[in-house]
Amino acid sequence: MLDVLARRAVASGSLGAVSAGSRTAAAIGASAFLAGGNAFDAALAAALSETVALPSKCGLAGDVVALYVTAGASAPISLVAIGGASAGLYAAAEAAGWEVPATGPLSVGIPGAPAGYSRIAELARLPLERLTAPAVELARRGVWWSPMNATLECEARTLLYRYQPDGCVYSPRDAKHTVGDMVRLPGLAVVLEEFVARGADLFTGPVGDAVVDCVQRHGGMLTARDLVSVDVAEEAAHCVQTESGPLWATNAPTYGPALTHAMAGRVVSDVGPGDVRRSLADLADTKTAAAEGTSTVAAVDEAGNAVVLVHSLSFPQYGSGLVVGEYDLILSNRAGRGFTFAPGHPNAPVAGRRPLTTLHAWGIGHRDGWILGATPGGQQQVPWNVQLVAQLLDTSDDGEQAMGDALVTPRWQLDAPGDVRHEGRELGRFEARSSHTLVRTATSRCAAAADPRWDGAAVAV
C-alpha cells in the first residue's frame, strides 16, 4: 500500500509539473504550462486559486515566502513578503500590559501577499489577468468544500462567531458546511480582480478602506497608512553544509535558519527531536503547536526554473478570525502570532519590524539539478522538514521516486511539554497534518510530488 501511495504522490512530465495543497489548484497551475507559461506562471496560478479553494489557510490578506531557482542558477533565491508592525501596535500592546491575544483585532497583520504574488508575476510569462482568471471564476461559481475545509471550519466556528456573531460565508450560523458543498465567494472574486488592477498596491484602494473599517470597528488600530505596499526581501538563500551535502533555506525572519541550524555539520539521519527543540529555542521563545493557517505550492518547468511558495494567514485557522464581509476576505493574524509582546525584545512589535514566522522553504541539490520543498504546520514545519530533508539528502540521486518514498515515511512531531508523538504509535497512520509539496528539476524531465496525507496533488504535463 505504501508503494502505491508513493507512486501516486509523484507526477512527471516533459513540459512542467506542479504540486499544491489543493487538487483543484494543482490542475489550474498545470494549465498554465499548456498556455505557454513557465514554473512561476504555474505556481502563481495555483497559489491564487488556493486563496479560493483553501480560504482559511491563505489569501491576499496574508503573507508569502518563497524559494526559487532560475534556469542555470548556482543557488536558490529567498523571497520574503511579510508586512511589518503597524505604527500603533507597540503602544497598543504596552497599554494592554503586553497581553495581546493571538487572534482578534490587535492581531491583524499588514498583508505582504500582494507584494509577494506581484514579484512572482514579474518572473512569469503570462499576463496577471490570465493567471488570476481561474481563481476569479472559481470564486464566482463556487468552491468544492474539501475534507480539509470542513475540518478547519469545525475547529474555527467559535473564533468566527466571536467576531461575526450572525455567521459568515465561511461558517453560516444556521448550519456548518459539509464536505461536497459548493461555496460561492463573490466578494473574493472582486478582491482578485482588484489585485489584477492594483498589484502590490491592492490595499491602497477600496479593499484597504474596508479592511481598516473592519479592524477599527472591532477595536483595532490598523490605519490606511499602515497598508502601504510591503517591501519584498529578495536575496540569496543562506546555505549550510551537512555530512550529506549542502542545504539551502529561506532567510530570517522565516524559520529557515532554525531548519539549517538543526542540520548544519551533522549526519542528517542523526538529527532528532532534541536537536530540533534546541534549534527552535535558540531562534525565539516559541510555543509548540500544529497549525493549519498555511498552504504551499511548488512548480518546475522544462527549462529548469523551479519555485516553492508558502502562503499563509497564520495561526490557527481563519487567521485573526475577522472577515471583511463585503469582500469575503479573511484577515491574517501575523502580528498577534509572530511578535513577542515584551518591551525591548528583539522580536517586539516595533513599527515596521517584520515578525518571526514559522513559514520557510528549503532546497537541496542532486546530480542533475534541484529539489525544493515546504510544508504547512506552524511549529511542526521544522520537525517535519528536518525528517524529509534528511531522507532526501541521502536518496536525492536515486531519482524522482525518492520524493514519493520520503513522503510516505512515518513522521514524528513535537508536543509540549517535551513530548514526541510518532505516526503509527501515539498518532494514527498518516495523522500528522504535514502537507509537503516538492519539485525536482532534471535535464529532460520535470517532477512534482504532494504529501498524500491530506488534499494535495501533483500534476504534470
Side-chain angles (χ1 to χ4, degrees), residues 277 288 414-420:
R277 284 194 190 279
T288 301
L414 301 178
D415 287 314
D419 294 333
V420 181

Side-chain angles (χ1 to χ4, degrees), residues 59-81:
L60 279 157
D63 300 304
V64 168
V65 167
L67 190 79
Y68 70 85
V69 290
T70 52
S74 59
I77 299 296
S78 166
L79 184 155
V80 179

Side-chain angles (χ1 to χ4, degrees), residues 22 79 88 90 101 107 118 207 216 247 265 268 290 315 327 357 397 415:
S22 156
L79 184 155
Y90 193 96
S107 78
S118 294
V207 178
Q216 292 187 356
L247 167 65
V268 292
F315 165 91
Y327 289 118
T357 173
D397 288 339
D415 287 314

Side-chain angles (χ1 to χ4, degrees), residues 351-415:
R353 175 182 286 164
R354 294 177 301 172
L356 283 170
T357 173
T358 58
L359 309 183
H360 65 285
W362 52 264
I364 61 176
H366 62 90
R367 62 173 171 255
D368 295 322
W370 297 93
I371 299 175
L372 308 183
T375 182
Q379 295 289 347
Q380 303 301 336
Q381 290 178 56
V382 173
W384 290 335
N385 279 331
V386 159
Q387 295 164 76
L388 189 68
V389 168
Q391 190 166 350
L392 288 173
L393 277 168
D394 286 338
T395 62
S396 61
D397 288 339
D398 293 345
E400 59 201 40
Q401 196 52 48
M403 296 192 299
D405 294 337
L407 285 173
V408 300
T409 300
R411 306 265 165 81
W412 50 260
Q413 67 184 42
L414 301 178
D415 287 314

Side-chain angles (χ1 to χ4, degrees), residues 43-360:
L44 185 54
L48 292 173
S49 296
E50 281 202 340
T51 69
V52 181
L54 296 172
S56 71
K57 294 164 74 68
C58 51
L60 279 157
D63 300 304
V64 168
V65 167
L67 190 79
Y68 70 85
V69 290
T70 52
S74 59
I77 299 296
S78 166
L79 184 155
V80 179
I82 296 174
S86 58
L89 183 56
Y90 193 96
E94 188 173 41
W98 300 100
E99 296 294 329
V100 177
T103 56
L106 284 184
S107 78
V108 175
I110 296 174
Y117 294 140
S118 294
R119 174 55 187 144
I120 296 296
E122 292 174 359
L123 298 166
R125 294 174 182 163
L126 302 176
L128 181 58
E129 183 176 10
R130 162 66 178 80
L131 299 174
T132 309
V136 172
E137 181 69 9
L138 185 64
R140 288 216 165 97
R141 290 177 63 88
V143 60
W144 181 79
W145 212 238
S146 69
M148 173 64 81
N149 284 335
T151 296
L152 299 185
E153 178 187 343
C154 284
E155 293 177 355
R157 279 170 74 83
T158 299
L159 173 65
L160 289 170
Y161 293 159
R162 184 178 306 149
Y163 300 107
Q164 289 78 220
D166 295 328
C168 64
V169 67
Y170 297 108
S171 193
R173 191 73 198 191
D174 53 351
K176 65 179 183 291
H177 298 300
T178 59
V179 174
D181 285 351
M182 299 301 294
V183 179
R184 291 181 173 83
L185 302 169
L188 197 53
V190 174
V191 175
L192 286 159
E193 291 174 331
E194 278 285 296
F195 172 62
V196 172
R198 296 176 181 271
D201 296 322
L202 170 64
F203 291 106
T204 62
V207 178
D209 293 341
V211 168
V212 170
D213 178 68
C214 176
V215 172
Q216 292 187 356
R217 278 190 292 105
H218 285 92
M221 27 57 61
L222 199 68
T223 68
R225 182 171 293 183
D226 291 324
L227 293 176
V228 296
S229 297
V230 172
D231 291 331
V232 176
E234 195 172 11
E235 55 194 345
H238 74 281
C239 178
V240 298
Q241 292 294 326
T242 75
E243 289 295 319
S244 298
L247 167 65
W248 285 263
T250 50
N251 300 328
T254 82
Y255 269 32
L259 173 68
T260 53
H261 180 268
M263 305 189 79
R266 302 289 303 278
V267 175
V268 292
S269 59
D270 291 343
V271 179
D275 302 300
V276 174
R277 284 194 190 279
R278 285 188 290 273
S279 182
L280 291 171
D282 288 344
L283 183 66
D285 297 327
T286 58
K287 301 180 288 293
T288 301
E292 290 295 345
T294 302
S295 191
T296 65
V297 168
V300 58
D301 62 37
E302 60 178 342
N305 299 301
V307 57
V308 57
L309 183 151
V310 188
H311 52 166
S312 176
L313 291 173
S314 193
F315 165 91
Q317 311 91 7
Y318 291 91
S320 65
L322 273 66
V323 179
V324 182
E326 62 265 47
Y327 289 118
D328 304 328
L329 186 66
I330 301 161
L331 303 183
S332 86
N333 62 331
R334 178 65 58 207
R337 171 65 172 165
F339 284 116
T340 302
F341 290 96
H345 193 281
N347 190 43
V350 174
R353 175 182 286 164
R354 294 177 301 172
L356 283 170
T357 173
T358 58
L359 309 183
H360 65 285

